[in-house]
C-alpha cells in the first residue's frame, strides 16, 4: 500500500526528499517542507486506525500543528465533526469508496485537524507521560489517542489493488473439492471481501449467500434480534443449494454471544 500511495503522491507533486534525526523533508510542489513527528499512535484492532501529531515547518510561513489519522472508513467516519459528516463532500467520498469496494479494492480513509500551539503541546505532554508509564502503557496511550482522534475533517480516501498470488483460485477450488471448508478473515469492507471471494473461487454464482451486516449506530439488542432471525431463516432455506456466509465484525460479535452462538454455528456448519 505504502509504495502505491507514495508513487501517487509523487505524481501530484508531493515528493519525499530525505530524513534525519530532526524530522522528514518533503517537497510540496517546489517548496521544501520539514515535518517533525512528535507523537505516533500505532494501529490497534480496537481503534482500527493509526495517527500522528506533528509540526509542519513551511519556508517563510508560520509553523503549523496537525493531526493525521488513517484507517478503516467506519473508524474515521465516526470521528468526524458533525458538519463534516453531513457535508456533500463526505457523501460523495462515501459513494466513491463504495464503488472502489465493489471493484475489489482495499479502501482507507484519511482525516485530520489543525491544532493551536497550546492544544498541541498539551497532547504531546500527555503522549510522553503515557509512553513512559510502567503500568498499562498501551491502555494509557489509547486514552490519549481517543482524545486526539476526534472532531476530524475528512481529507480523502485511498483505494489500492491487492493482487492475488498465482493459482490462489485453483488451489481453493481443489481444497473445496476435497471437502475442506474454507473461511476468509479480512479487515476489508464487505463489498471488497465479497469481490475477493469471487476472484478466489471461494464464492460462486451457484451459492446462496447469507449476508449479516449492521450499521454500528444500531442498538445491540436490534443487532442480536436481526442476527438470530437471519441465522434461523438461512438454516431452513435453500436446503439443496450450496451456502456461503458473509458476516461483518459488528454482527460477528453479536453472533458469538451465548444466546446466539448455537444458531450461528448451525448456519456456519451448513456452509460449503
Amino acid at each position: 500500500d505504502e509504495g502505491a500511495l507514495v508513487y501517487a503522491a509523487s505524481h501530484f507533486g508531493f515528493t519525499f526528499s530525505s530524513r534525519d534525526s530532526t524530522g522528514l523533508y518533503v517537497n510540496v510542489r517546489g517548496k521544501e517542507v520539514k515535518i517533525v513527528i512528535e507523537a505516533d499512535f500505532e494501529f490497534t484492532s480496537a481503534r482500527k486506525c493509526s495517527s500522528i501529531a506533528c509540526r509542519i515547518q513551511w519556508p517563510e510561513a508560520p509553523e503549523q500543528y496537525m493531526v493525521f489519522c488513517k484507517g478503516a472508513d467506519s473508524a474515521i467516519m465516526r470521528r468526524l465533526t458533525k458538519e463534516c459528516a453531513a457535508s456533500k463532500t463526505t457523501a460523495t467520498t462515501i459513494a466513491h469508496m463504495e464503488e472502489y469496494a465493489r471493484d475489489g479494492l482495499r479502501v482507507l480513509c484519511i482525516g485530520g485537524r489543525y491544532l493551536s500551539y497550546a492544544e498541541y503541546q498539551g497532547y504531546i505532554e500527555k503522549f510522553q507521560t503515557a509512553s513512559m508509564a510502567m503500568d498499562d502503557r498501551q491502555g494509557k496511550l489509547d486514552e490519549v489517542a481517543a482524545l486526539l482522534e476526534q472532531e476530524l475533517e475528512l481529507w480523502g480516501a485511498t483505494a489500492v489493488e491487492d493482487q492475488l498470488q498465482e493459482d490462489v483460485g485453483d488451489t481453493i477450488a481443489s481444497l473445496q473439492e476435497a471437502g475442506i471448508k474454507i473461511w476468509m478473515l479480512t479487515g476489508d469492507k464487505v463489498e471488497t471481501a465479497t469481490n475477493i471471494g469471487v476472484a478466489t473461487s471461494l464464492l460462486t454464482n451457484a451459492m446462496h449467500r447469507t449476508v449479516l451486516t449492521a450499521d454500528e449506530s444500531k442498538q445491540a439488542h436490534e443487532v442480536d434480534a436481526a442476527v438470530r432471525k437471519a441465522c434461523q431463516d438461512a438454516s431452513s432455506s435453500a436446503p439443496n443449494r450450496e451456502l456461503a456466509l458473509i458476516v461483518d465484525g459488528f454482527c460477528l460479535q453479536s453472533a458469538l454471544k451465548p444466546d446466539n452462538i448455537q444458531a450461528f454455528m448451525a448456519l456456519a456448519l451448513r456452509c460449503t
Side-chain angles (χ1 to χ4, degrees), residues 94-112:
I94 291 172
H96 288 165
M97 288 191 296
E98 290 174 348
E99 179 183 346
Y100 299 151
R102 286 193 294 271
D103 289 339
L105 304 179
R106 297 184 62 190
V107 179
L108 282 176
C109 278
I110 300 171

Side-chain angles (χ1 to χ4, degrees), residues 37-91:
I37 300 172
E38 294 191 295
D40 185 357
F41 299 91
E42 295 184 355
F43 176 91
T44 66
S45 57
R47 289 170 34 246
K48 298 181 181 178
C49 64
S50 61
S51 298
I52 61 169
C54 60
R55 291 186 284 121
I56 312 293
Q57 298 174 349
W58 294 85
E60 302 178 358
E63 191 172 62
Q64 292 178 317
Y65 309 96
M66 301 175 68
V67 176
F68 290 88
C69 184
K70 73 169 184 176
D73 60 318
S74 59
I76 302 300
M77 291 299 173
R78 66 170 177 262
R79 291 173 165 86
L80 300 180
T81 64
K82 291 182 179 180
E83 294 77 11
C84 183
S87 70
K88 290 184 178 179
T89 300
T90 297

Side-chain angles (χ1 to χ4, degrees), residues 23 25 71 87 91 109 147 204 237 248:
Y25 297 86
S87 70
C109 278
L147 296 173
T204 68
S237 65
D248 68 10

